[in-house]
């Protein structure tokens, strides 16, 4: 069953259960997927759907940070609840230790020695962790290991 089909089934389940919060988040995901489908003019593969859901996840993470800066605890809580729902459709994310190990292996593989090799290392690491690691964590790991 494709990711889009899973989301559709979950939407039906949320409707039957009258779970308004889950339903609204799933509808938002479904709308984003439909917009992407129209944009690319073909049915989305699971990888393309994962990319769309990843963008939605990232937007919510950034929103939480902004709401926290603005002391809007009510919005922080509701957005964090949305994040928990969106996370169900993402692959399991790598831990910080796993990211650091991948970065260390990549640094030795490309022969990076200083912070001037940052771009070379990031270029080699990101394809390996696409969709399963937060870019900010990867960036921090590369910077800390190259300095």
């Amino acid at each position: 069953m494709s990711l889009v089909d899973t989301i559709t089934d979950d939407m039906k389940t949320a409707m039957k259960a009258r779970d308004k919060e889950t339903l609204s988040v799933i509808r938002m995901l479904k709308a984003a997927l439909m917009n992407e489908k129209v944009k690319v003019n073909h049915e989305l593969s699971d990888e393309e759907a994962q990319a769309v859901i990843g963008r939605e996840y990232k937007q919510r993470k950034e929103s939480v940070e902004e709401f926290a800066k603005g002391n809007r605890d009510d919005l922080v809580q509701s957005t964090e609840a949305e994040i928990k729902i969106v996370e169900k459709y993402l692959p399991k994310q790598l831990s910080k230790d796993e990211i650091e190990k991948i970065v260390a292996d990549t640094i030795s593989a490309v022969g990076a020695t200083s912070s001037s090799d940052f771009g070379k290392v990031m270029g080699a690491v990101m394809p390996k962790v696409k969709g399963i690691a937060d870019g900010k964590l990867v960036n921090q790991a590369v910077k800390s290991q190259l300095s």
Side-chain angles (χ1 to χ4, degrees):
M1 177 182 284
S2 75
L3 182 59
V4 175
D5 294 337
T6 303
I7 290 172
T8 302
D9 287 348
D10 287 352
M11 186 170 80
K12 291 175 187 173
T13 303
M15 283 180 185
K16 289 177 184 175
R18 299 185 194 279
D19 184 352
K20 290 181 181 178
E21 185 177 317
T22 302
L23 182 59
S24 71
V25 174
I26 292 175
R27 280 184 172 153
M28 173 273 312
L29 287 176
K30 192 106 169 102
L33 291 168
M34 291 301 287
N35 289 339
E36 186 72 13
K37 179 182 169 184
V38 169
K39 183 177 167 186
V40 297
N41 204 19
H42 63 80
E43 292 294 324
L44 296 178
S45 68
D46 275 352
E47 290 173 357
E48 292 169 320
Q50 286 287 340
V52 171
I53 293 171
R55 279 196 305 261
E56 295 295 324
Y57 176 79
K58 186 176 178 184
Q59 284 177 345
R60 273 154 189 72
K61 282 292 221 185
E62 291 170 355
S63 295
V64 166
E65 291 173 16
E66 293 301 317
F67 294 149
K69 286 180 188 174
N71 294 324
R72 292 295 310 267
D73 293 333
D74 56 329
L75 294 176
V76 168
Q77 290 174 353
S78 66
T79 307
E80 285 177 342
E82 289 179 12
I83 287 171
K84 284 185 177 33
I85 296 167
V86 173
E87 282 177 338
K88 288 185 354 185
Y89 303 106
L90 290 173
K92 182 184 175 294
Q93 299 291 298
L94 295 175
S95 71
K96 191 171 182 175
D97 293 337
E98 292 169 319
I99 292 170
E100 288 179 0
K101 181 178 181 345
I102 291 170
V103 168
D105 293 344
T106 305
I107 287 173
S108 62
V110 299
T113 56
S114 68
S115 59
S116 63
D117 296 324
F118 177 81
K120 186 170 33 171
V121 174
M122 284 297 289
V125 170
M126 287 312 288
K128 295 178 185 177
V129 299
K130 184 177 182 187
I132 56 172
D134 183 8
K136 284 183 181 178
L137 291 176
V138 174
N139 187 320
Q140 291 169 352
V142 171
K143 281 183 180 175
S144 69
Q145 291 187 29
L146 284 178
S147 59

